[in-house]
Amino acid sequence: MSTVTSEGTQTHGESAKPIEAIESAIVRFVGDSGDGMQLAGTQFTTTSAVFGNDIATFPDYPAEIRAPAGTLAGVSGFQINFSSRDIHTPGDKVSALMAMNPAALKANIADLEDGGLLIVNVDEFSVPNLKRAHYESNPLDSDAFDRYRVYKIPITKHTFEAVKETGLSTKDASRCKNFYALGVAFWLYDRPLETTLAWINQKFAKVPAVAQANTLALKAGYHFGETAEIFTVRYRIPRAKLAPGKYRNLTGNQATALGLIAAARLAGKPLFYGSYPITPASDILHELSLHKNFDVRTFQAEDEIAAMCSVIGAAYAGAIAVTGTSGPGMALKQEAIGLAMITEVPCLIINAQRGGPSTGLPTKTEQADLWQAIIGRNGECPVPVLAARSASDCFSAAIEAIRVAVKYMTPVILLSDGFIASGSEPWRIPDAADLEKIEIKHADDAETFQPYERNAAGSRPWAIPGTLGLQHRLGGLEKADVTGDVCYDPDNHQHMIELRARKVQNVANDIGDQEVFGEPSGDLLVASWGGTFGAVWSAVQRAQAEGHKVSHMHLRWLLPMPKNTGAILKRFKKILVCELNMGQLQFVLGGHFAIESEGLHKVQGRPFMIGEIHEKIVQVLGGQTP
Amino acid sequence: MSTVTSEGTQTHGESAKPIEAIESAIVRFVGDSGDGMQLAGTQFTTTSAVFGNDIATFPDYPAEIRAPAGTLAGVSGFQINFSSRDIHTPGDKVSALMAMNPAALKANIADLEDGGLLIVNVDEFSVPNLKRAHYESNPLDSDAFDRYRVYKIPITKHTFEAVKETGLSTKDASRCKNFYALGVAFWLYDRPLETTLAWINQKFAKVPAVAQANTLALKAGYHFGETAEIFTVRYRIPRAKLAPGKYRNLTGNQATALGLIAAARLAGKPLFYGSYPITPASDILHELSLHKNFDVRTFQAEDEIAAMCSVIGAAYAGAIAVTGTSGPGMALKQEAIGLAMITEVPCLIINAQRGGPSTGLPTKTEQADLWQAIIGRNGECPVPVLAARSASDCFSAAIEAIRVAVKYMTPVILLSDGFIASGSEPWRIPDAADLEKIEIKHADDAETFQPYERNAAGSRPWAIPGTLGLQHRLGGLEKADVTGDVCYDPDNHQHMIELRARKVQNVANDIGDQEVFGEPSGDLLVASWGGTFGAVWSAVQRAQAEGHKVSHMHLRWLLPMPKNTGAILKRFKKILVCELNMGQLQFVLGGHFAIESEGLHKVQGRPFMIGEIHEKIVQVLGGQTP
Amino acid sequence: MSAIDTPLKPKDFKSDQEVRWCPGCGDYSILSQMQKVLADVGAEKHNTVFVSGIGCSSRFPYYMDTYGFHGIHGRAASIATGVKIANPDLTVWVITGDGDGLSIGGNHFIHTIRRNIDLKIVLFNNRIYGLTKGQYSPTSEVGKKTRSTPFGSIDNPIHPIAVALGVEVTFVARCVDVDVKNMISVLKRAAAHKGTAFVEVYQNCNVYNHMAFAYASDKKTKDDHVLYLEHGKPMIFGKERDKGIRLNGTMPEVVDLGSGISQDDLLIHDEKAAEPTLAYLLSRMRYPDFPEPMGVFRALEAPTYEAVLMNQIEEATRQKGKGNLNELFGAGDTWEVN
Amino acid sequence: MSAIDTPLKPKDFKSDQEVRWCPGCGDYSILSQMQKVLADVGAEKHNTVFVSGIGCSSRFPYYMDTYGFHGIHGRAASIATGVKIANPDLTVWVITGDGDGLSIGGNHFIHTIRRNIDLKIVLFNNRIYGLTKGQYSPTSEVGKKTRSTPFGSIDNPIHPIAVALGVEVTFVARCVDVDVKNMISVLKRAAAHKGTAFVEVYQNCNVYNHMAFAYASDKKTKDDHVLYLEHGKPMIFGKERDKGIRLNGTMPEVVDLGSGISQDDLLIHDEKAAEPTLAYLLSRMRYPDFPEPMGVFRALEAPTYEAVLMNQIEEATRQKGKGNLNELFGAGDTWEVN
Ligand SMILES: Cc1ncc(C[n+]2csc(CCOP(=O)(O)OP(=O)(O)O)c2C)c(N)n1
Ligand SMILES: Cc1ncc(C[n+]2csc(CCOP(=O)(O)OP(=O)(O)O)c2C)c(N)n1
Ligand code: SF4
Ligand code: SF4
Ligand SMILES: [Mg+2]
Ligand SMILES: [Mg+2]
């Protein structure tokens, strides 16, 4: 993927090595869970972002907290795609792989592009470690890696030497290896050290020996690149032309949390977040619980059912009420979501999807909870559903979801997934003053109040306990139109089911028309939803550039869909639906619009690669490039 | 609906009144919850069945145990359709309505056919009772009911008089009113009293005064018909030509219970039934718990989650393991059903659907849990789903479901609904010797055993704890093909998801081709599923008789569908899907086959009437009868 | 509507909904006493919320002219928790049954109690599932024949007060549906308690479990089967008040007063005891071996969940200032693109 | 494979799966002791089943060469209940964590215990959610700073043994991960118990809650903070065995032996007491005010759920004969059509 630009090679700063300017690169740090790869990756990301590249990242860690050192089960990785262009995914094939042990090498080598850089910590290629990784012999001694540019560095030894003067224990000294590796990577891609050095000093202010050791390791790695004779070239990725503004790197979960806090503030309400920890949603809870000075009231419930029910209570009592979970927890919440739906209280349920079924692949990404979200409850129980398309998009998706919930007095489901929830990308920081207020008008007139009277949007009044004279009772039994009294009348039941369904359909009035990227008609429409946006968009761009008559439709709203969705679908000869499941959106499109389509279905716990989508597009179009 | 046969009128036995022979009649007993209408209805049913009519019944009772006497909320009803022909529904319009009080009259009068018999207990039409029923004045005094044949009988007074000699308290004497009303009905339809008299004597053997009182009341009602001058005619419905054999009247829940017991016996296994009470499924638990001598082990769990999990454990340990519930309980079980699905243990989940969403209309019928059953779980989690089509069909559906579960090592979902679960119909009692054995071969060879090795059906071995040398571990994490070890490998995940999906599809090899009632192609195919079979079938028959080119496809299997389903659909110009929901099967057919269809959607807590389906058929076909 | 100045009467707490329990159901009495108590303690209709689950008992909120929420089965305490956290100024009552609160809702019951959030939980214990027509419940006695246990139930019953003490409830009391005076005093005490107050009411289901508590409600016999707890007073009971409870090691025993045993030998009730062991011991006194204690077992002051939560919010706001969105957005490592 | 004749060794209970806990995790010790105990008590691999929920602790079954089921979060006891009812001959262990067993699984925990079904429940209490990376759990102390409580937790902790006693558990015991000797004796007693046996193990999570139980595990200090319970023996503790527990009314107190106080004044442990009040009182003795009891709090014989169930089945079969399908089908009112 990384391509040499027309600028060719040049030298830079004080470096004696030639610097090649390239458009983008993909670096992946891999090692043992205990090796600090997530940290190295994050630092590389921040530095690149501050430097001015567009970036996208993909952390990948095992389900065990710390599987036995050196085993395949314990491999942890962090990938960064950084570029001088707009990018939307962490990238397909890796340009440079930093492997801290044999297991990490084994688990990741397949993703390294031909000719890519392979940097290994040779010190860890001992016989026991090779055995733990199920290598029969040392692969570095074979010709298996001839198609890569292999650099064997004794990272462990170098690190020990570098930090000797700090007097740290062997164990602590060994912990600095990641900074050494990071130093090498910084040198290789011509990144400044300042951001990381500042971070180290702040983070370890209370343990100066550690701060010093990490600093020494980082610099040692950097200097190694410069002085050792093994690297013949280094790279530079120029600044990207991003929209001007202040940026910050944010995971989807952080963005969600900020969106929720903002929404509550825009509504002038306390934020109630009732949740039960579950990967990959827990970080929303963690982030929110830090911000109590925004009148954020977090409640760690005893389970997901209690969490959802507490949300119903909080919504009834007038808070902006939200819960977050992942697939199995979502299953547990469904009965209570039905209660929120029939009582028509406004609230938000976030599902950061992970690999299923059942416990499945809990730390991996997947999009297989779409059906569950839109039609997985008992009875006729439609609930608006939308999906965020990237980490930073979670911010606005959260605000939009709350806006719909309170306007339509309904639970809303927001889908993200492990990939965007834990992955991060740059976020252009908005000015709070530019965010539109969320208008809430509670019922307050005792003379005219009727709990189930509807306004033009089909929504009922939000009357909160504490309001004089508005005493009323809500519940899960069918209720009479207008009064809300319990009612078993047959026609009323049909009427109420229709009113509730129509209300959800009315949300389509607020979400605008469905956008199409590319021509409004053509040979092929590629449809996608959720966190696969970047990959699908990039693949379609590539195919368009090749001259294919292909467009891209990314659905943010899954229920209801924008009003023109059906019309768009009918303007293309073929439809290809790409999703990280076995065809859930595809089925839904068939159900709604009676259309035939092809599907690209990936369920491997991993995001799409641009290449595989592009390949599929070309194949569906007959296999030929125009 | 009741039509005069060519036999015309005749007299019968010692009766002085003319008897008109008719083909069928629909009687509905309605009164207060405390009035014993369910009992009267059941007795009328049994008597008619023993007499030799084909019958179908529909009990309808309020969600409250006993709402305040005389209120609309407390009205309880029981409808019987009895005929000399094959019938499949409790009927549309009522031929005779026996109303015990004003509220019951008000709630039911709309269903009485023009010219129908209206028999009211005038004694209860007091001012307070009229008020409780929200009648401004006594409707019996107006001309509101001129189009019916109204008979005002002082049932309360007559009953008191009849039972005086027993010395019962007023309260107890009053309880005999239902037998008086039943007596009137028996006379009117020329039914013998023996069956009910025998029942009374057995039931109240320990309280002879009550037995005597009920006997007296029953006979008084009967004699009133004969001697009072008010009835000018009575009716006889001759025996039906039913398949020869021994019959019994059975509710769907009873039939389910018998099917489960039979299945366990056919498999040579104990039956484990773990459940939490919920209307309308509880009767399965009640029925099963009576039959401990069949090695039936019932477990009333603390909630539905525990029930489902206990089923998983019991299945793992080698029992025929079953749970039953209704919509809200089903929602709670979904997470655990996912576990059963990924661990591939055989079990059965029964959902007797009721009106939703949420608590909805808990005692009413609906079919709105189809989506929940087939695609309502987290992750890619397909589970075979079938639906019983009538009360007695629950027996064979239960056996078939167990057969599939143990053959394919999978949870199976069996859908019934409030209508067929609580409604009853005659069941031709099979000979146990004719039921096909359920072959189960547990793994036992420690040398070759692999927990996730698959056979030709795609199924894995059932190895149960206690088997020497076969120790293995199951769990909800993704597992490696063949070995079943925990495995996070991306390709393995995709592979396993595909294997599991394929296994469920393989069930289509066992369920035969989809049947079509009528011509294999034509203008219209009416599709249905579940407990609406009888009404849809009858309506299509009627339309066919009128010359319409319409056929009927009733889906027993919803996942997978029979292999020829798509082909059938494509052979008709139009498709009409009739279901007691807002179009769930319709959506699913669109998703699978990309077909357009029309829907008849009824969500009123009530079964379909033949008439309304017939009307819709004619309308879809252009409104004209050929 | 603006009746806040004139004191409310019991009937002011009656909603316009028809009460739909079976005639003779014990729930009627509880409803009346609750309406009376609310009037007596000067409750405000608009600041009072009744939350329930599913069951006959859980229909209660419909009949109160306050705010109300009829939830789903077993989850009343969780819904109520959300209400209270969202608006700690509200007075929140939870109405539940032995099935709703202890079977499907058992987990929320114990966790709500341990948090000591200020909810008043009233459990209508009729030892049966009423609404689903008569299956045994977690409080049904062993051997009970019901629709789901035709050969007799085989589960050991749960004792709600013991369970509550297992999670160290700060207020716990018991009363009987027909014992109006005691119920009123217990409900008033619960209303006044700050923290989770749990009240078990023995309630007669005259349709499916008639007379289950006859020993404790029948005027003729109840004095011998019931012990009214009074703080600081010796534990005396019996029609003639001639019997008492004495401690023998860690075991209670019934003694006859007179002939060598005086009031001074008896256990003194201490509802404020920091250790809940005494209350636990009382919860273990059961018919027919012991008189069953009625009244307040335990009433201890302790910080409430919502108070500590709001403190944390105030404290955070004091320290960091009221949250500013732009500061929040711009925190951490940022960079400028021009 | 046919090793039933030669006695099994601890290593025979090791499965072929790589153990994947963090190095230094307390779970390792529990695993070793369990393997040793099973060998010692002559357990059969093929008749032993380990069932767990979700959490670090719940990975346990994978590492045992017995039958095993790694369930879903909180539901281990329910799955195990099904196993035991389907086949009462199996020995069934439940492995759970403080989050798994007491937070999401709290309801199944109490109901399983009250039924007294013969399961051995071992709860690894590390006072933290390990697998989800360090949120507070129901057993975390007030004020605990975790990822979900950066300002300190505000929930009062749950005490597993007190909860179990709230539902009158028939066997309950406690031990510490590193106190191998005591753990082995406790697990053996649990293995021998008929009925629900509940064992709480204090387990160190050295990643997210390191040293949470240092007071009870550190060789230097633990003798002063731990009280080993011995049936029929006075409650003595302390490095010099110079301290004891005395009863004051219903309250325990720590006393120094000597100078007027002798062993005879001390509480005598009675694990067989029919009334669980003593055990409850022991469950309330907590660090730092009291030494924390280790060993068996209570061990009472009582009918087990599965035994009574199977009795009912046998009795029904005796009375009605082994079920005959044709009789079943043809029961009730029937009629013939010819
Ligand atoms: C999830 C779910 N499971 C089961 C039910 C059925 N159900 C309704 S009320 C009830 C038990 C009622 O018993 P209890 O709480 O003791 O209340 P009571 O009717 O005795 O007052 C049950 C099992 C339900 N509504 N929802
Ligand atoms: C339904 C559901 N909710 C939440 C989770 C996430 N989860 C997994 S383990 C766990 C808690 C683990 O804590 P504990 O039981 O104490 O076990 P430990 O890891 O400490 O041994 C949670 C919340 C889940 N897997 N499933
Ligand atoms: S069934 Fe029992 S608890 Fe329910 S209303 Fe009737 S008497 Fe009361
Ligand atoms: S996170 Fe804690 S409990 Fe989990 S394996 Fe690591 S040390 Fe053990
Ligand atoms: Mg009850
Ligand atoms: Mg834990």
Side-chain angles (χ1 to χ4, degrees), chain C:
Chain C
M1 283 299 150
S2 56
I4 26 173
D5 296 332
T6 45
L8 296 174
K9 305 222 175 56
K11 73 164 172 38
D12 292 321
F13 286 95
K14 289 203 167 97
S15 80
D16 59 353
Q17 301 294 301
E18 232 168 24
V19 183
R20 291 186 182 173
W21 290 307
C22 306
C25 176
D27 293 355
Y28 283 97
S29 166
I30 313 177
L31 178 62
S32 302
Q33 299 347 306
M34 181 64 82
Q35 286 161 344
K36 186 159 175 6
V37 164
L38 291 196
D40 285 0
V41 303
E44 294 172 319
K45 301 204 285 187
H46 68 287
N47 281 325
T48 304
V49 186
F50 279 82
V51 180
S52 65
I54 297 284
C56 295
S57 32
S58 291
R59 296 290 171 98
F60 195 95
Y62 289 121
Y63 310 138
M64 296 291 302
D65 190 16
T66 60
Y67 285 88
F69 207 106
H70 180 217
I72 44 177
H73 195 34
R75 320 301 176 188
S78 302
I79 297 171
T81 295
V83 171
K84 187 74 186 175
I85 294 178
N87 185 354
D89 293 338
L90 299 170
T91 300
V92 185
W93 292 81
V94 172
I95 304 293
T96 183
D98 42 330
D100 189 67
L102 293 170
S103 193
I104 190 167
N107 205 29
H108 314 306
F109 181 73
I110 61 179
H111 284 280
T112 303
I113 288 177
R114 77 164 169 110
R115 290 190 193 106
N116 198 35
I117 185 165
D118 187 9
L119 305 175
K120 293 96 182 59
I121 305 177
V122 186
L123 186 143
F124 297 14
N125 183 3
N126 54 13
R127 293 194 178 152
I128 200 80
Y129 287 0
L131 192 67
T132 47
K133 311 202 169 180
Q135 300 82 12
Y136 78 116
S137 91
T139 57
S140 299
E141 57 281 16
V142 168
K144 184 169 201 85
K145 292 194 170 153
T146 69
R147 292 184 76 193
S148 55
T149 53
F151 300 96
S153 131
I154 66 175
D155 302 29
N156 302 308
I158 239 174
H159 298 277
I161 294 184
V163 176
L165 287 165
V167 285
E168 301 171 12
V169 65
T170 56
F171 179 98
V172 58
R174 185 195 281 143
C175 56
V176 181
D177 55 2
V178 293
D179 190 343
V180 170
K181 202 177 116 215
N182 187 238
M183 195 194 313
I184 289 180
S185 94
V186 158
L187 291 178
K188 280 188 185 164
R189 289 288 308 277
H193 182 68
K194 282 261 137 226
T196 311
F198 171 58
V199 178
E200 178 186 20
V201 186
Y202 284 174
Q203 174 244 327
N204 191 38
C205 167
N206 62 319
V207 172
Y208 295 112
N209 201 15
H210 193 40
M211 303 287 266
F213 299 104
Y215 64 91
S217 59
D218 184 338
K219 289 232 171 68
K220 285 194 226 94
T221 57
K222 73 166 189 177
D223 289 333
D224 288 331
H225 300 146
V226 154
L227 165 73
Y228 289 103
L229 298 172
E230 286 178 272
H231 180 62
K233 299 275 173 65
M235 298 185 189
I236 301 177
F237 71 105
K239 202 167 236 135
E240 316 294 336
R241 296 193 59 76
D242 56 354
K243 288 180 274 190
I245 303 294
R246 183 171 70 177
L247 197 63
N248 180 356
T250 52
M251 303 269 289
E253 60 184 10
V254 173
V255 291
D256 291 319
L257 290 176
S259 64
I261 300 182
S262 84
Q263 294 201 4
D264 299 345
D265 299 316
L266 300 183
L267 249 178
I268 306 295
H269 184 45
D270 179 8
E271 62 183 39
K272 298 186 174 27
E275 280 299 308
T277 302
L278 172 65
Y280 180 80
L281 175 154
L282 291 172
S283 81
R284 293 273 317 156
M285 286 174 32
R286 288 169 201 164
Y287 177 79
D289 299 334
F290 288 96
E292 294 193 345
M294 295 292 153
V296 178
F297 287 57
R298 181 168 209 232
L300 202 76
E301 286 191 23
T304 67
Y305 183 89
E306 74 280 7
V308 183
L309 174 69
M310 295 315 285
N311 272 351
Q312 283 194 339
I313 289 178
E314 276 161 37
E315 184 59 23
T317 311
R318 211 179 49 72
Q319 283 181 16
K320 306 196 206 168
K322 183 169 182 248
N324 172 300
L325 281 186
N326 280 331
E327 274 171 30
L328 176 73
F329 296 166
D333 289 330
T334 63
W335 66 94
E336 293 278 352
V337 171
N338 304 316

Side-chain angles (χ1 to χ4, degrees), chain A residues 305 308-309 312 332-341, chain C residues 72:
Chain A
I305 300 174
M308 183 63 217
C309 288
I312 293 174
L332 292 171
K333 289 183 201 283
Q334 291 279 45
E335 190 208 1
I337 294 174
L339 178 64
M341 187 270 179
Chain C
I72 44 177

Side-chain angles (χ1 to χ4, degrees), chain A residues 358-378:
Chain A
S358 194
T359 313
L361 294 180
T363 58
K364 307 289 177 185
T365 197
E366 205 159 281
Q367 294 187 296
D369 297 350
L370 177 63
W371 284 341
Q372 185 194 34
I374 59 175
I375 47 182
R377 285 165 293 278
N378 59 298

Side-chain angles (χ1 to χ4, degrees), chain B residues 29 31 62 96 149 199 335 344 399 450 480 535 562:
Chain B
F29 294 90
R149 285 178 283 160
W199 182 87
E335 190 207 2
E344 303 184 45
I399 298 178
Q450 290 283 14

Side-chain angles (χ1 to χ4, degrees), chain B residues 429-618:
Chain B
I429 301 172
D431 183 343
D434 297 339
L435 301 173
E436 192 191 333
K437 284 259 161 312
I438 296 179
E439 292 298 345
I440 291 174
K441 168 112 186 54
H442 289 301
D444 57 4
D445 181 4
E447 296 303 314
T448 58
F449 172 65
Q450 290 283 14
Y452 281 78
E453 182 126 63
R454 289 177 197 275
N455 63 16
S459 185
R460 69 175 198 88
W462 193 5
I464 60 176
T467 316
L468 200 66
L470 259 50
Q471 296 86 255
H472 65 288
R473 274 75 40 193
L474 301 181
L477 288 163
E478 186 56 281
K479 34 196 55 47
D481 195 12
V482 183
T483 66
D485 293 342
V486 172
C487 177
Y488 304 118
D489 177 71
D491 294 328
N492 176 74
H493 183 47
Q494 178 111 28
H495 181 58
M496 291 302 282
I497 283 182
E498 285 168 6
L499 283 182
R500 288 187 293 255
R502 205 172 308 145
K503 184 178 81 166
V504 171
Q505 285 307 324
N506 285 347
V507 173
N509 296 329
D510 291 34
I511 60 179
D513 265 358
Q514 177 62 41
E515 209 178 338
V516 175
F517 304 108
E519 296 300 318
S521 63
D523 293 338
L524 177 67
L525 180 72
V526 183
S528 63
W529 66 279
T532 58
F533 169 75
V536 178
W537 188 85
S538 307
V540 173
Q541 291 270 315
R542 200 185 290 176
Q544 285 171 347
E546 291 163 356
H548 289 293
K549 292 208 166 81
V550 51
S551 297
H552 178 203
M553 171 176 90
H554 186 81
L555 284 163
R556 179 188 200 67
W557 279 93
L558 285 321
L559 185 73
M561 291 184 184
K563 293 176 180 173
N564 60 330
T565 310
I568 293 173
L569 289 164
K570 303 218 155 110
R571 287 200 298 264
F572 288 84
K573 292 195 194 123
K574 287 188 174 177
I575 313 285
L576 169 66
V577 188
C578 301
E579 34 186 349
L580 299 177
N581 59 44
M582 296 296 282
Q584 300 197 358
L585 175 63
Q586 207 186 343
F587 185 87
V588 171
L589 292 177
H592 283 313
F593 307 111
I595 55 140
E596 310 228 12
S597 58
E598 293 211 38
L600 177 61
H601 306 151
K602 179 173 178 177
V603 276
Q604 299 173 4
R606 291 177 169 181
F608 274 125
M609 294 202 293
I610 299 167
E612 62 198 354
I613 299 169
H614 175 258
E615 206 175 296
K616 181 79 185 177
I617 290 173
V618 173

